[in-house]
Amino acid sequence: MSRINGFVGRRNFLKFASVVGIAATTFGDSFWNIEQTAVADIHPVNPNSISPNEAIRRLLDGNQRFINQKRQYPDQSLEHLRLVAKAQYPFAAILGCADSRVPAEIVFDQGLGDLFVVRVAGNVVSDTVIGSLEYSTAVLGSQLIIVLGHRRCGAVAEAIKNEPLPGRIGLIIEGIKPSVERVKFRTGDNMQDAVIANIQYQTEKLQESSTILAKLLGEGKLKIVGACYDIDTGKVNIIT
C-alpha cells in the first residue's frame, strides 16, 4: 500500500476499505489473513503528532478556558486556514453526540484542523463511524479518540423508555439499549448512570470492532477514552 509523506495514501486507504468489504462478503472467514496482512502495513506518521496524554491535557485545558470564558480561539486565522488547506494533521479524534449543544471544537476551544470530529445521535458506534475513525488514526495519525457523551442525552432517554419510534430513529436507539441493560437494576440517578454506561459501552465496542484500531492500541500509538459533557456547566470529565 503506497504512502504519501509517510501516510498510507488516502486513495489507497479507501480502495483498501472497499476491498475489505467485498472480500469479507465473498470469502467470509478466509478474508482474515488478507486483512491482517494489509493492517500490518499501516504506519501513520503525523509531523505534528502529540502523545495521547498530551492530547487529553490540551483538550481539558481548552475546556477549562471555555468554562471560564477565557477562550483563545486558536488556529482560526486566515493564515492557518490556508495552511490546513494543504494537509490536515488533527491531534485528536472525537466521536460525539450530534446534540446541537455539544460542538466539540467550541467546548474544547480548538480550531481548524485540530480535531477530527464524528458526530451521531447517542455517540453510537457503527461501521461508518469505525471507518471514519480508522481513517483519522491510520491515515491522519491521530493518537487519541475520545467518545464524548453528555448529560441528559435524548437518545439515551429514548433507549430507557424502550418505546416504538418512527422512521430509522429506532436503529440508533437499538445501538444504545445494551448499555441501558447494564444499569437497569441500579439505584440512584438512572438517567446519568445510563449515559455513563453508554459512553463506556461505545468505547468498548470501538476498541473491539476494528483490527486497525486494535493494532494501533497494541503498539501504544493510540488511546481511546470516554468522556462526559455537562450541558449545564460546560465541563468535560474523563470517564475511567
Side-chain angles (χ1 to χ4, degrees):
M1 192 175 293
S2 66
R3 299 183 180 86
I4 300 174
N5 295 329
F7 290 88
V8 177
R10 289 167 173 77
R11 185 172 299 174
N12 286 289
F13 179 85
L14 295 174
K15 185 186 296 182
F16 162 65
S18 176
V19 171
V20 165
I22 295 171
T25 301
T26 306
F27 301 111
D29 293 338
S30 64
F31 164 68
W32 177 252
N33 290 333
I34 299 173
E35 184 185 19
Q36 288 296 95
T37 301
V39 168
D41 192 44
I42 294 175
H43 301 285
V45 177
N46 186 330
N48 302 319
S49 67
I50 60 176
S51 70
N53 289 338
E54 173 61 19
I56 292 174
R57 185 198 66 76
R58 185 179 295 188
L59 290 172
L60 293 182
D61 283 352
N63 179 240
Q64 195 62 48
R65 294 194 301 270
F66 170 73
I67 294 170
N68 296 331
Q69 293 297 288
K70 295 182 178 180
R71 284 171 283 180
Q72 297 176 357
Y73 305 100
D75 298 332
Q76 297 181 34
S77 66
L78 182 59
E79 179 183 3
H80 191 75
L81 182 150
R82 290 168 177 164
L83 178 65
V84 296
K86 300 174 183 177
Q88 61 168 324
Y89 304 111
F91 71 85
I94 310 291
L95 167 56
C97 181
D99 191 295
S100 62
R101 299 165 293 180
V102 197
E105 288 89 350
I106 294 178
V107 303
F108 287 118
D109 191 28
Q110 301 301 319
L112 298 168
D114 291 335
L115 303 178
F116 188 95
V117 181
V118 181
R119 295 179 68 183
V120 61
N123 39 278
V124 173
V125 171
S126 65
D127 288 345
T128 303
V129 166
I130 292 170
S132 297
L133 294 174
E134 287 176 342
Y135 182 82
S136 172
T137 53
V139 179
L140 303 180
S142 304
Q143 295 190 24
L144 173 70
I145 297 174
I146 288 188
V147 179
L148 181 64
H150 65 94
R151 290 180 64 89
R152 302 204 302 278
C153 177
V156 173
E158 291 297 333
I160 293 173
K161 291 179 185 176
N162 195 26
E163 297 174 353
L165 293 163
R168 300 187 182 182
I169 300 174
L171 295 177
I172 295 172
I173 306 309
E174 288 300 319
I176 299 174
K177 285 183 179 179
S179 66
V180 173
E181 291 297 318
R182 296 182 176 187
V183 298
K184 191 177 251 186
F185 302 107
R186 292 184 191 176
T187 58
D189 187 345
N190 288 338
M191 178 61 192
Q192 183 58 12
D193 286 347
V195 166
I196 299 300
N198 183 52
I199 294 169
Q200 294 171 330
Y201 173 75
Q202 304 301 337
T203 301
E204 293 166 7
K205 187 175 179 180
L206 194 58
Q207 293 172 337
E208 297 167 357
S209 302
S210 168
T211 306
I212 290 174
L213 298 182
K215 180 178 187 295
L216 293 171
L217 284 165
E219 294 177 347
K221 297 177 181 177
L222 175 64
K223 190 170 187 176
I224 304 177
V225 300
C228 186
Y229 175 75
D230 190 326
I231 61 174
D232 294 310
T233 67
K235 184 175 178 58
V236 173
N237 289 301
I238 300 298
I239 305 300
T240 57

PDB file of all heavy atoms in Angstrom, residues 196 200 225-227 237-240:
ATOM      1  N   ILE A 196     -23.484   7.340  31.326  1.00  0.00           N
ATOM      2  CA  ILE A 196     -22.111   6.870  31.559  1.00  0.00           C
ATOM      3  C   ILE A 196     -21.924   5.462  30.999  1.00  0.00           C
ATOM      4  O   ILE A 196     -20.918   5.162  30.358  1.00  0.00           O
ATOM      5  CB  ILE A 196     -21.772   6.889  33.063  1.00  0.00           C
ATOM      6  CG1 ILE A 196     -21.861   8.318  33.613  1.00  0.00           C
ATOM      7  CG2 ILE A 196     -20.380   6.309  33.300  1.00  0.00           C
ATOM      8  CD1 ILE A 196     -20.944   9.299  32.962  1.00  0.00           C
ATOM      9  N   GLN A 200     -19.258   4.176  28.119  1.00  0.00           N
ATOM     10  CA  GLN A 200     -18.350   3.043  28.337  1.00  0.00           C
ATOM     11  C   GLN A 200     -18.591   1.927  27.324  1.00  0.00           C
ATOM     12  O   GLN A 200     -17.630   1.338  26.793  1.00  0.00           O
ATOM     13  CB  GLN A 200     -18.515   2.522  29.765  1.00  0.00           C
ATOM     14  CG  GLN A 200     -18.072   3.522  30.817  1.00  0.00           C
ATOM     15  CD  GLN A 200     -18.443   3.103  32.237  1.00  0.00           C
ATOM     16  OE1 GLN A 200     -19.454   2.405  32.443  1.00  0.00           O
ATOM     17  NE2 GLN A 200     -17.653   3.498  33.205  1.00  0.00           N
ATOM     18  N   VAL A 225     -10.574   6.810  25.005  1.00  0.00           N
ATOM     19  CA  VAL A 225     -11.153   7.063  26.323  1.00  0.00           C
ATOM     20  C   VAL A 225     -12.559   7.622  26.175  1.00  0.00           C
ATOM     21  O   VAL A 225     -12.920   8.162  25.127  1.00  0.00           O
ATOM     22  CB  VAL A 225     -10.292   8.049  27.152  1.00  0.00           C
ATOM     23  CG1 VAL A 225      -8.896   7.512  27.364  1.00  0.00           C
ATOM     24  CG2 VAL A 225     -10.245   9.419  26.481  1.00  0.00           C
ATOM     25  N   GLY A 226     -13.338   7.486  27.222  1.00  0.00           N
ATOM     26  CA  GLY A 226     -14.676   8.063  27.254  1.00  0.00           C
ATOM     27  C   GLY A 226     -14.669   9.365  28.031  1.00  0.00           C
ATOM     28  O   GLY A 226     -13.804   9.595  28.883  1.00  0.00           O
ATOM     29  N   ALA A 227     -15.630  10.240  27.721  1.00  0.00           N
ATOM     30  CA  ALA A 227     -15.758  11.499  28.443  1.00  0.00           C
ATOM     31  C   ALA A 227     -17.224  11.910  28.448  1.00  0.00           C
ATOM     32  O   ALA A 227     -17.988  11.559  27.552  1.00  0.00           O
ATOM     33  CB  ALA A 227     -14.896  12.585  27.803  1.00  0.00           C
ATOM     34  N   ASN A 237     -15.674  15.740  31.730  1.00  0.00           N
ATOM     35  CA  ASN A 237     -14.989  14.846  32.657  1.00  0.00           C
ATOM     36  C   ASN A 237     -14.613  13.565  31.937  1.00  0.00           C
ATOM     37  O   ASN A 237     -15.438  12.983  31.226  1.00  0.00           O
ATOM     38  CB  ASN A 237     -15.880  14.503  33.865  1.00  0.00           C
ATOM     39  CG  ASN A 237     -16.058  15.674  34.799  1.00  0.00           C
ATOM     40  OD1 ASN A 237     -15.079  16.220  35.332  1.00  0.00           O
ATOM     41  ND2 ASN A 237     -17.300  16.098  35.012  1.00  0.00           N
ATOM     42  N   ILE A 238     -13.368  13.141  32.115  1.00  0.00           N
ATOM     43  CA  ILE A 238     -12.917  11.870  31.547  1.00  0.00           C
ATOM     44  C   ILE A 238     -13.539  10.731  32.342  1.00  0.00           C
ATOM     45  O   ILE A 238     -13.571  10.753  33.572  1.00  0.00           O
ATOM     46  CB  ILE A 238     -11.379  11.759  31.571  1.00  0.00           C
ATOM     47  CG1 ILE A 238     -10.758  12.897  30.753  1.00  0.00           C
ATOM     48  CG2 ILE A 238     -10.931  10.404  31.036  1.00  0.00           C
ATOM     49  CD1 ILE A 238     -11.123  12.887  29.283  1.00  0.00           C
ATOM     50  N   ILE A 239     -14.034   9.720  31.637  1.00  0.00           N
ATOM     51  CA  ILE A 239     -14.656   8.540  32.260  1.00  0.00           C
ATOM     52  C   ILE A 239     -13.655   7.415  32.295  1.00  0.00           C
ATOM     53  O   ILE A 239     -13.096   7.025  31.273  1.00  0.00           O
ATOM     54  CB  ILE A 239     -15.903   8.093  31.473  1.00  0.00           C
ATOM     55  CG1 ILE A 239     -16.901   9.238  31.325  1.00  0.00           C
ATOM     56  CG2 ILE A 239     -16.550   6.889  32.149  1.00  0.00           C
ATOM     57  CD1 ILE A 239     -17.408   9.799  32.613  1.00  0.00           C
ATOM     58  N   THR A 240     -13.385   6.900  33.473  1.00  0.00           N
ATOM     59  CA  THR A 240     -12.423   5.807  33.606  1.00  0.00           C
ATOM     60  C   THR A 240     -13.147   4.471  33.728  1.00  0.00           C
ATOM     61  O   THR A 240     -14.340   4.413  33.983  1.00  0.00           O
ATOM     62  CB  THR A 240     -11.529   6.022  34.840  1.00  0.00           C
ATOM     63  OG1 THR A 240     -12.356   6.138  36.015  1.00  0.00           O
ATOM     64  CG2 THR A 240     -10.710   7.274  34.684  1.00  0.00           C
TER      65      THR A 240
END
